[in-house]
Amino acid sequence: MHVAVLGAGIIGVTTAYYLAERGHSVTIIERADAVATQTSYANGGQLSYSYTDSLARPEFLPQLPRLLLGLDPAIRVDAFRNLSMFGWGVRFLAQCTAAKAKENTAAVLKIAMRSATLIKELQQELNLDFSYGTVGKLIVLASEEEIDAARQKQVMKSEHGCETHVLSAMEAMVLEPALLAMEQSFVGAIYAEFDEVGDAHQFAVGLIEWLQANRPVKLEFGRSVEGLEISNGRVRSVRTDLDSIGVDAAVVCMGPWSGSLLKSNDVDPLIYPVRGYSVTLPRAENSPTISITNLKHRMVFSQLDNGIRIAGYADFAGFDSSRDKYRIASLLETAERIAPTAADYTADQKSPWGGFRPLTPTGQPQVGPTKTKGLFMNTGHGSLGWTLACATAESVAASVSEVP
Ligand SMILES: Cc1cc2nc3c(=O)[nH]c(=O)nc-3n(C[C@H](O)[C@H](O)[C@H](O)COP(=O)(O)OP(=O)(O)OC[C@H]3O[C@@H](n4cnc5c(N)ncnc54)[C@H](O)[C@@H]3O)c2cc1C
């Protein structure tokens, strides 16, 4: 079949790979001039197989008044800027029960564990250069309640083949001495030995080069997808601002921008764009080698080949990027305060970046066929698109291959 992949972020590029592996000819249509220029460009770099915990959980509810009053520097809620937030927010709050949180966490964990296997297989075959390493991950925990919750989830995770360890603060500091120089507000940590890091942008660039050299994959850059031509209930072509491209099937991989195209075809993927930020700084003498996630400050520190990536924050304000300068300055200021020797903060070049996480209320991505024959989606990966990319791409490629 001739399959169009709409969008060339990490999800689109991996989807193209697994479609090509199944023998389809693929055209990737992307409005930018290159791959992975948007949400997949400079994310936290964590292949976070072990930490798929749903953002919607009972513990979120008591935090809500504080968030709405703007008292958490890491989260900005500007509901009035984008009224679509209300409908999405109600659905999100409905997921904040213990049962739903467990169900959503387990569903995403299953996808993550499959991805962990697939990325290794892919890397064995293609040997791409993307700062890939099994460095492990430490999530520092600020209270005894967080430790208890981590112990409970540890059992469920283990049932899915994901082994984690709950450590005391001392054990964590022995494992990663860089923690000694960080804010000492943590009382323990979760350690996931097999979690990995990698640069999603570098990976996407390497994979697309390999695909162009080895598989029937065509790139149509600088073309904005405007709609689909459908006849007799089946996708016939993709309409772009320049022309129409005839196809047998199309997979929507437009991340935070997937909503309008899908809605005009009777599917609402319930995606809200949640802005986050990163900086990439040169390493310092005391940089961590293990990835660190600080839940209290909603920030991660990952070691990549080109330096330390510090990423985080979550702004619910629609597609607003007007406050990037202030938000990135705040991220940097907090990072330097809580981890003063983790990176070289004096560097001139800090590579500031912002991206919109395509978040669904459940935290689960939307993957598979739609009501329209030949129209598929692989979108809504929220905070974990890099981690989940290979598994959801494999899955949607399998669904496409079932089309008669
Ligand atoms: C601060 C931050 C840190 C993160 N850290 C991590 C992490 O450590 N680990 C992890 O697993 N995930 C992380 N994520 C999440 C991850 O980056 C995303 O889930 C992932 O990048 C989403 O990929 P995507 O391909 O769906 O979207 P995108 O990368 O945004 O790709 C969508 C593409 O569609 C194109 N497009 C849109 N509309 C059109 C159109 N009309 N026509 C043609 N093309 C179109 C866009 O130009 C874009 O290239 C983080 C995100 C943020 C913001």
Side-chain angles (χ1 to χ4, degrees), residues 10 34-37 40-43 130 198-206 386:
I10 193 66
V35 297
T37 60
S40 309
Y41 184 69
N43 65 24
F130 63 102
D199 185 311
H201 173 253
Q202 262 182 294
F203 176 88
V205 170
W386 175 212

Side-chain angles (χ1 to χ4, degrees), residues 150-179:
R151 286 219 168 86
Q152 280 167 27
K153 284 180 200 145
Q154 198 181 15
V155 178
M156 182 272 278
K157 290 183 180 179
S158 173
E159 283 163 8
H160 284 83
C162 173
E163 296 305 334
T164 53
H165 309 273
V166 178
L167 308 181
S168 67
M170 186 55 75
E171 286 169 325
M173 286 188 281
V174 169
L175 194 68
E176 175 49 82
L179 284 175

Side-chain angles (χ1 to χ4, degrees), residues 7-11 29-31 38-40 43-46 223-225 253-257 276-277 311 353 355 357-358 381-387:
I10 193 66
I11 303 302
I29 307 173
E30 164 60 52
R31 67 180 171 196
Q38 300 297 312
T39 325
S40 309
N43 65 24
Q46 294 192 337
R223 274 183 170 68
S224 187
V225 175
C253 303
M254 301 192 315
W257 298 275
Y277 311 91
W353 170 83
R357 301 173 185 91
H381 294 71
S383 307
L384 287 170
W386 175 212
T387 305

Side-chain angles (χ1 to χ4, degrees), residues 238-255:
V238 178
R239 202 173 62 253
T240 77
D241 53 344
L242 299 181
D243 52 12
S244 276
I245 299 172
V247 295
D248 300 309
V251 188
V252 178
C253 303
M254 301 192 315

Side-chain angles (χ1 to χ4, degrees), residues 18 34 42 48 83 93 107 114 126 135 142 150 155 168 183 201 215 256 272 300 306 317 342 345 358 360 366 395 400:
Y18 286 100
S48 178
L83 295 177
L93 293 176
R114 178 68 189 148
L126 310 189
V135 297
V155 178
S168 67
E183 187 185 63
H201 173 253
R215 294 287 183 270
Y272 193 82
V300 305
N306 62 345
Y345 295 96
T360 63
Q366 302 272 15
S395 164
V400 171

Side-chain angles (χ1 to χ4, degrees), residues 98-170:
K100 294 271 184 207
K102 192 171 173 193
E103 184 185 319
N104 291 328
T105 301
V108 180
L109 180 62
K110 216 168 138 194
I111 305 172
M113 294 310 286
R114 178 68 189 148
S115 251
T117 304
L118 288 175
I119 201 163
K120 284 179 194 64
E121 284 174 10
L122 185 151
Q123 186 56 1
Q124 244 173 8
E125 208 170 306
L126 310 189
N127 194 24
L128 303 176
D129 182 10
F130 63 102
S131 299
Y132 181 50
T134 308
V135 297
K137 163 163 160 159
L138 276 165
I139 303 171
V140 296
L141 303 172
S143 66
E144 290 301 331
E145 291 80 58
E146 285 183 10
I147 292 192
D148 288 345
R151 286 219 168 86
Q152 280 167 27
K153 284 180 200 145
Q154 198 181 15
V155 178
M156 182 272 278
K157 290 183 180 179
S158 173
E159 283 163 8
H160 284 83
C162 173
E163 296 305 334
T164 53
H165 309 273
V166 178
L167 308 181
S168 67
M170 186 55 75

